[in-house]
Amino acid sequence: MTPAVPPAPTWTAPPTETDLPPLAVLLAPAGSPVELVERLSSGLAAPVSQAGMRWEVRSSLTTQDVTPDLRLVILLSSGLEAASLAAAAPQVQFLAVGASGLTPASNLSLVGAEGERYDQQGFIAGLIAAMITPDWRVGVISVADTAAGKAARQGFLNGVVYFCGLCLPYHGPIFDYPQYVELPSSAAEAEWQVAADTLISRAVKTIYLFPHIPAPGLAEYLAQSGVKLLGGIQPPETLQPSWVATVTTDPLPAALGILPDLLAGRGGASLPAPVVVQDINGALFTPGRQAALETMRLDLLKGVIDTGVDPVTGEAR
């Protein structure tokens, strides 16, 4: 018998950078909002993977990191860094999220370059509050010495009046609604609680909290007083029974909408980051009212409805 001759060993070259699938990166420097990073990462990972690309989240990216396989970078960094990287890597598509002072280019697209539209957030919160509250007994607590705080407050007031008109209560105690209180950002926690007590004493049942009030315990204080709450942050579990909904800006829908163009190498767009309603408590904000709000929300984003607020100064127009 002739012994079997084993096959000759074969050698396969290790993959090089050019053999790897194209790469897409979410650039989220230290200090980026954790919830925003998680939302963009989880929302974009699947469609990027389905397009045959690798997906990574990084905290830094330099021109030396621009390899031949890099195709797309979504940045949460500054406008200066986005412009610098885009100029140094014309073969890569860049999408800057929430960065101001940029001009779109053939490989640079923008989402939310105009910044947060607190007037729109307040307006939608006002619509919701008026929809769900008997006798229109609603109010807002905001910051008095910032344009964002003024815009949120005035947007809320206008949103309530847009829905309820005269907003006249049928039963006592009789106050003019909507109500509002605001303090400077330097106010102490105890002062914010006094402001909250002012609204409670005026029979306000639903309150919109400007998301940047420097009083961490204020929402809990109001919930313990039986007030229903709207705000711009994801509520902790202890607040969920009193939390009606979160009204915030979400760049993910715009990023998903522009993603096919970016993957095809077409850039240069600039889209607003739409205001969305999340964390909805269906027991407090029923599906029928949600459907009615959605119609008005879309009209607001399309410009059919105007908030009546200058988003830069926060003053009524």
Side-chain angles (χ1 to χ4, degrees), residues 65-78:
D65 299 320
V66 178
T67 53
D69 59 318
L70 184 62
R71 294 289 185 274
L72 173 64
V73 179
I74 299 167
L75 308 98
L76 300 182
S77 52
S78 69

Side-chain angles (χ1 to χ4, degrees), residues 117 120 123 127 162 293 295-308 317:
R117 287 295 302 271
Q120 292 186 347
F123 191 92
L127 291 174
Y162 180 88
L293 176 77
T295 299
M296 290 182 279
R297 186 187 74 88
L298 294 176
D299 283 346
L300 180 68
L301 297 181
K302 290 185 292 188
V304 177
I305 299 173
D306 188 85
T307 64
R317 281 201 289 253

Side-chain angles (χ1 to χ4, degrees), residues 164-182:
C164 66
L166 294 177
C167 308
L168 297 175
Y170 288 100
H171 307 286
I174 302 297
F175 291 96
D176 291 330
Y177 298 104
Q179 290 276 320
Y180 75 93
V181 292
E182 54 188 1

Side-chain angles (χ1 to χ4, degrees), residues 129-204:
M131 282 182 175
I132 69 167
T133 309
D135 267 0
W136 326 115
R137 301 182 189 276
V138 301
V140 53
I141 302 177
S142 191
V143 175
D145 54 357
T146 67
K150 294 176 184 178
R153 177 258 295 161
Q154 193 60 46
F156 177 87
L157 300 179
N158 291 356
V160 174
V161 173
Y162 180 88
F163 186 81
C164 66
L166 294 177
C167 308
L168 297 175
Y170 288 100
H171 307 286
I174 302 297
F175 291 96
D176 291 330
Y177 298 104
Q179 290 276 320
Y180 75 93
V181 292
E182 54 188 1
L183 294 172
S185 52
S186 59
E189 178 104 21
E191 295 176 277
W192 288 106
Q193 291 187 5
V194 171
D197 288 338
T198 299
L199 293 186
I200 294 170
S201 69
R202 295 174 184 172
V204 171

